[in-house]
Amino acid sequence: MTLAPDRPRTTLPTRPPAGDERRRSVSGSRATDVYALVGAGAAALALTWLLFAWLLPFDGAVGFVVVAYALFLGLYALTVSFDEDGPAVVDRLAGAVVRSMGALLITVLVFVVGYTLWEGRRALPHLNFFTEDMKLAGPLEPLSTGGVLHAIAGTLIQILIALVITVPGGLVCAVFLNEVPGRFARFVRTIVEAMTALPSIVAGLFIYATVILTLGMERSGFAAALALSVMMLPIIIRAADVVIRLVPGTLREAAYAMGTSRWRTVWHVVLPTARSGLTTAVILGTARGIGETSPVLLTAGSTAEFNADPLSGPMVSLPLAAFQFVQSPEPAMIARGFGAAATLLVLVLLLFIAARVIGGRGPGRLTRRQEHRRVVASRRDAHRFASRRSATAALGSRPSATAGKEPRSSS
């Protein structure tokens, strides 16, 4: 008998000792990436300083930053190309551009907020700034007199009325654009997209011409809320339309397969699924309307007194009050203007937080009250099923009515 030739056997790699094992790093950045980034930045600053100070007759901080940034991108791409191929160089360069733009936006935001709070630091510590109006305070009065209570109330009243008008109308229109497609839906979508870039002064002039001049309504907070609604409505419709499009079609098909009507599917499936995105749409519309000045100036007028009636009398808002305060040459009035702007920032932040708390839950998530009601209903069902089982068992153990009786003999 001939023996078969030896076949190669599978061998397992031997593990190195515990002290010699090197763990692989799974982080996205490496030491060489950091060195390339820091080196390119330092070289760009040095070259820009050399150009501006010694070689070229350039001057100005903006030009210095632009030239330094362009040199940084070029040097960073050159440094990365020593170790990586073409696609990797493009990827690193695109990542550097995106991160730098994000850092620039955050820096600008922090600067705007910080500058507003710093300039309004003289007015914000005074309690009367939030509890009094400007009825008894003139331009030469100290900061211990007068405040922006009338502007805070006007902003809240106007934006709440505008939300009551725009949120139902915007959501219904967005649902119509998605659930009832056709020529008319395409026409409405075109109009909405065109109104998205509508200037604020045009919205104010439209309400001023139609509501105040034609219908005879006086300048009031309600007229200003209508002007804000004209500006907020296309933003909410457009954002809600995009969000509702992202709802999977399989959810609608599953609801239709169970025999549900179209509008019941929208109410119980589509809108709850897109709840978080719809909240974002409302936030975008609120951000557009709450900071406008020209529509309020045209439709609500200006006043220094507190007015809580949106249907009668002029009503001022925080943006309009800040605009009027900073026009004064007096330092106290300028401080009140920046204080009103800081108050508006805090107010917008609180409104956004409230919107996120109310409608920021993801699809399928229940509130504590809904979870409690579900638990109570489950316990009730379990108790009912247990009672039914016990009743069935008692009925099965009961002796039959004919048991033990002898059959009757026929005569």
Side-chain angles (χ1 to χ4, degrees), residues 18 86-87 105 110 143 175 185 195 209 242 251 253 272 279 288 311 318 348:
L105 292 178
V110 171
L143 294 175
V175 170
M195 289 183 61
V242 174
L251 296 179
E253 295 173 0
T279 304
R288 175 67 190 277
L311 300 177
L318 281 172
V348 170

Side-chain angles (χ1 to χ4, degrees), residues 29 31 50 81 95-96 102 119-120 125 218 223 228 231 234 256 293 295 319 337 345 364 376 399:
S29 60
L50 181 63
S81 65
E119 292 295 330
E218 62 177 335
L228 297 180
M231 300 179 55
Y256 294 151
T293 303
L345 292 177
V376 171

Side-chain angles (χ1 to χ4, degrees), residues 247-260:
V247 177
T250 53
L251 296 179
R252 297 183 177 91
E253 295 173 0
Y256 294 151
M258 297 178 65
T260 309

Side-chain angles (χ1 to χ4, degrees), residues 304-379:
E305 300 181 7
F306 179 84
N307 181 20
D309 186 5
L311 300 177
S312 177
M315 179 181 291
V316 72
S317 63
L318 281 172
L320 182 57
F323 174 73
Q324 293 174 345
F325 287 157
V326 297
Q327 286 183 326
S328 175
E330 299 297 329
M333 295 297 289
I334 296 176
R336 289 190 179 97
F338 280 99
T343 306
L344 179 62
L345 292 177
V346 176
L347 183 61
V348 170
L349 179 62
L350 293 178
L351 290 177
F352 286 179
I353 292 175
R356 280 299 181 187
V357 170
I358 294 174
R361 300 191 312 274
R365 294 181 58 186
L366 303 178
T367 61
R368 292 184 178 180
R369 181 176 299 178
Q370 291 174 340
E371 292 179 355
H372 177 70
R373 287 186 298 188
R374 186 179 63 175
V375 171
V376 171
S378 300
R379 291 177 180 175

Side-chain angles (χ1 to χ4, degrees), residues 45-321:
L45 291 176
L47 286 176
T48 307
W49 177 80
L50 181 63
L51 291 175
F52 274 67
W54 297 95
L55 300 180
L56 298 176
F58 291 160
D59 194 5
V62 177
F64 186 91
V65 172
V66 172
V67 173
Y69 183 71
L71 290 175
F72 163 74
L73 293 179
L75 293 173
Y76 181 67
L78 179 63
T79 307
V80 174
S81 65
F82 293 151
D83 298 328
E84 305 290 348
D85 53 358
V89 173
V90 175
D91 179 73
R92 299 292 175 80
L93 191 62
V97 172
V98 171
R99 290 183 176 87
S100 59
M101 292 298 103
L104 177 62
L105 292 178
I106 293 176
T107 303
V108 172
L109 178 62
V110 171
F111 175 76
V112 171
V113 175
Y115 182 78
T116 303
L117 295 176
W118 176 257
E119 292 295 330
R121 70 189 185 279
R122 295 175 52 198
L124 293 176
H126 297 275
L127 183 61
N128 60 279
F129 186 74
F130 306 99
T131 58
E132 297 180 3
D133 55 16
M134 294 295 295
K135 181 179 179 180
L136 302 177
L140 300 179
E141 295 292 337
L143 294 175
S144 58
T145 305
V148 293
L149 178 62
H150 59 305
I152 296 175
T155 298
L156 291 176
I157 292 172
Q158 293 171 12
I159 200 65
L160 289 179
I161 295 175
L163 288 175
V164 169
I165 297 173
T166 56
V167 171
L171 296 184
V172 169
C173 184
V175 170
F176 167 76
L177 295 178
N178 284 272
E179 302 297 330
V180 190
R183 292 184 177 180
F184 187 68
R186 290 194 296 270
F187 174 74
V188 173
R189 182 176 283 110
T190 303
I191 297 299
V192 169
E193 292 177 354
M195 289 183 61
T196 304
L198 184 70
S200 59
I201 189 67
V202 175
L205 289 174
F206 171 73
I207 297 299
Y208 180 78
T210 56
V211 177
I212 297 178
L213 295 182
T214 304
L215 300 180
M217 180 182 293
E218 62 177 335
R219 293 186 177 183
S220 60
F222 182 74
L226 292 178
L228 297 180
S229 300
V230 173
M231 300 179 55
M232 294 168 56
L233 190 59
I235 303 296
I236 295 178
I237 294 175
R238 184 63 179 148
D241 179 26
V242 174
V243 170
I244 294 177
R245 285 188 194 178
L246 299 178
V247 177
T250 53
L251 296 179
R252 297 183 177 91
E253 295 173 0
Y256 294 151
M258 297 178 65
T260 309
S261 63
R262 173 183 295 177
W263 301 113
R264 196 170 183 86
T265 300
V266 170
W267 183 258
H268 291 281
V269 177
V270 176
L271 293 182
T273 304
R275 181 190 294 114
S276 180
L278 296 178
T279 304
T280 303
V282 175
I283 289 175
L284 292 176
T286 305
R288 175 67 190 277
I290 200 171
E292 291 296 336
T293 303
S294 56
V296 179
L297 180 61
L298 288 174
T299 56
S302 179
T303 180
E305 300 181 7
F306 179 84
N307 181 20
D309 186 5
L311 300 177
S312 177
M315 179 181 291
V316 72
S317 63
L318 281 172
L320 182 57

